[in-house]
Amino acid sequence: MATALWGRAEQQDFRSRVRGTLLGSAVGDALGAPVAGLTLDAIRQAHGPAGLTEPAAPSPGRPATVTAATQLTLFTVDGLIRAHVRRDTGAWHPPTDVHRAYRRWAATQSDWGPDERRADNGWLAREEWLYARRAPERSCLTGFADDTLGTLDQPKNPTARDAAATVRSAPFGLLVGWEPGLVLQLAVECAAQSHGHPDALLSAGALAVIVHGLVRGESLNAAVQRALGLLGARPGHQPVTDALQRALAAVTRGAPGPDSIETLTTGDGRGAADTLSIALYCALVAQDMTHGLRLAVNHGGDSSATGALCGALLGALHGETALPAGWLTGTEGRATLLELSDDFALELTQGPTLHGPKGSAPGWLARYPRG
């Protein structure tokens, strides 16, 4: 979809789906975070027979906190915006721009707070709430510990197969003007910066392609079929394609619930492929966002990751109005998420008016420096 072809209704729909994807992911992440790592029995002992049904704030009056997965998702978006801004200079290599964004995230995990002297950091790195360490995976800390760029030929952490790279990859699917194969390639290349195992790489790519289809108006089933078609040409795809197929097949087997989720896993339910399978199943059977997210976090797998992935899928499918208002208003970082979502939508629909041969907006380049 070329920028010149964006009509007002198209822009509004796109912004709604961008907001839905990013906010939905954060809501699901915050919902599942308190029970991540618990068995289903332990979740029920702590929260009752129905399990966790509402976000659990750390204390009364405080927002439900997100994990490092949401932090990294924000920096994925920041990197993609900067890549688009830098395209004017001819320095067009999105994996490098995304990696620089992840390095800015890595600084938040070691510094006390924003470094106001760094003019090239942009506005996101000055958000103080992002400097809290929220259980980052070791693969992310080591992957972004230095300026060396992990690639598909030489990935960082070749055996890492957890879901952290997958969860941060939903924003790649928001590049609606790109061909699906290019979306897959970019997501896989950026996943390799911290995760080298094929399960992690291709789960990240699959999620991006599915989100891409949803934002472009496809059904969830059609978007999954497209992902399956593209994955089939990739070495080592079988565990991920099997995981997607298990989710599709489980939809027809009985009422949705924890027992159905147990059939989706091949190991401990914490690998990227199993995590994506659980999240996809919950999105496929969801009666609404609330139902889908509750289902996505009440199991013995990585509840914050499955909640985030399910929220991203349902948000991309239905847009921001599908988000449960009470949960959204009680989620940490909502203002930042909204601001970044709208900036991303503005860049993709109005980028040439913000920076281009006919002029530029200095305030925009201060937010997203080209350096």
Side-chain angles (χ1 to χ4, degrees):
M1 188 181 297
T3 302
L5 299 179
W6 285 96
R8 181 173 298 177
E10 290 175 309
Q11 291 184 50
Q12 291 175 341
D13 179 70
F14 178 61
R15 184 175 67 176
S16 175
R17 292 178 190 265
V18 172
R19 284 182 170 187
T21 302
L22 300 182
L23 291 167
S25 178
V27 169
D29 180 28
L31 179 67
V35 295
L38 299 182
T39 65
L40 180 59
D41 286 343
I43 294 173
R44 287 172 170 167
Q45 288 175 8
H47 299 281
L52 180 64
T53 59
E54 299 289 331
S59 61
R62 295 189 60 191
T65 53
V66 298
T67 73
T70 293
Q71 295 175 337
L72 276 162
T73 299
L74 288 168
F75 280 94
T76 303
V77 178
D78 180 65
L80 290 176
I81 294 175
R82 293 218 199 180
H84 273 254
V85 171
R86 282 168 55 84
R87 183 167 51 179
D88 296 341
T89 70
W92 176 240
H93 190 248
T96 296
D97 292 301
V98 172
H99 183 254
R100 288 171 176 163
Y102 291 154
R103 289 284 289 138
R104 290 191 290 276
W105 168 81
T108 70
Q109 303 301 288
S110 58
D111 295 346
W112 288 102
D115 186 348
E116 302 294 344
R117 298 168 297 178
R118 290 289 306 277
D120 61 338
N121 269 355
W123 73 276
L124 184 63
R126 292 194 289 270
E127 293 289 294
E128 292 200 19
W129 71 274
L130 291 173
Y131 285 73
R133 181 174 281 209
R134 297 289 170 69
E137 293 285 354
R138 185 176 183 277
S139 49
C140 294
L141 292 173
T142 58
F144 306 129
D146 55 48
D147 289 331
T148 302
L149 178 69
T151 65
L152 292 177
D153 291 333
Q154 292 185 306
K156 293 286 190 73
N157 301 314
T159 61
R161 56 188 295 271
D162 61 81
T166 305
V167 178
R168 69 174 188 251
S169 294
F172 298 116
L174 302 175
L175 297 169
V176 293
W178 291 38
E179 291 300 316
L182 293 177
V183 169
L184 174 67
Q185 181 66 22
L186 179 59
V188 168
E189 287 188 28
C190 291
Q193 295 172 10
S194 62
H195 290 68
H197 195 284
D199 288 10
L201 296 173
L202 296 180
S203 293
L207 174 74
V209 171
I210 295 170
V211 169
H212 186 258
L214 296 177
V215 175
R216 291 171 64 137
E218 294 180 357
S219 69
L220 184 50
N221 187 73
V224 174
Q225 294 301 330
R226 184 183 299 278
L228 285 168
L230 289 171
L231 288 173
R234 295 273 176 163
H237 71 88
Q238 203 63 54
V240 180
T241 53
D242 286 350
L244 297 179
Q245 294 283 16
R246 287 197 301 274
L248 293 172
V251 172
T252 62
R253 294 199 300 266
D259 290 340
S260 300
I261 290 175
E262 289 295 323
T263 69
L264 299 172
T265 61
T266 57
D268 61 4
R270 297 179 181 278
D274 282 353
T275 300
L276 180 59
S277 183
I278 293 169
L280 174 59
Y281 167 75
C282 294
L284 285 164
V285 300
Q287 299 169 4
D288 55 29
M289 179 76 81
T290 302
H291 174 252
L293 290 180
R294 284 172 175 161
L295 185 62
V297 303
N298 283 290
H299 56 83
D302 188 346
S303 297
S304 62
T306 50
L309 291 173
C310 181
L313 292 171
L314 291 174
L317 179 62
H318 299 298
E320 65 173 316
T321 57
L323 300 172
W327 294 8
L328 178 59
T329 57
T331 297
E332 180 184 34
R334 180 171 68 100
T336 304
L337 285 153
L338 274 170
E339 191 170 1
L340 193 63
S341 297
D342 289 353
D343 279 2
F344 183 87
L346 196 61
E347 172 62 33
L348 262 65
T349 60
Q350 302 292 330
T353 68
L354 297 169
H355 52 88
K358 295 184 179 180
S360 63
W364 191 255
L365 297 181
R367 291 173 70 77
Y368 302 103
R370 287 183 169 132

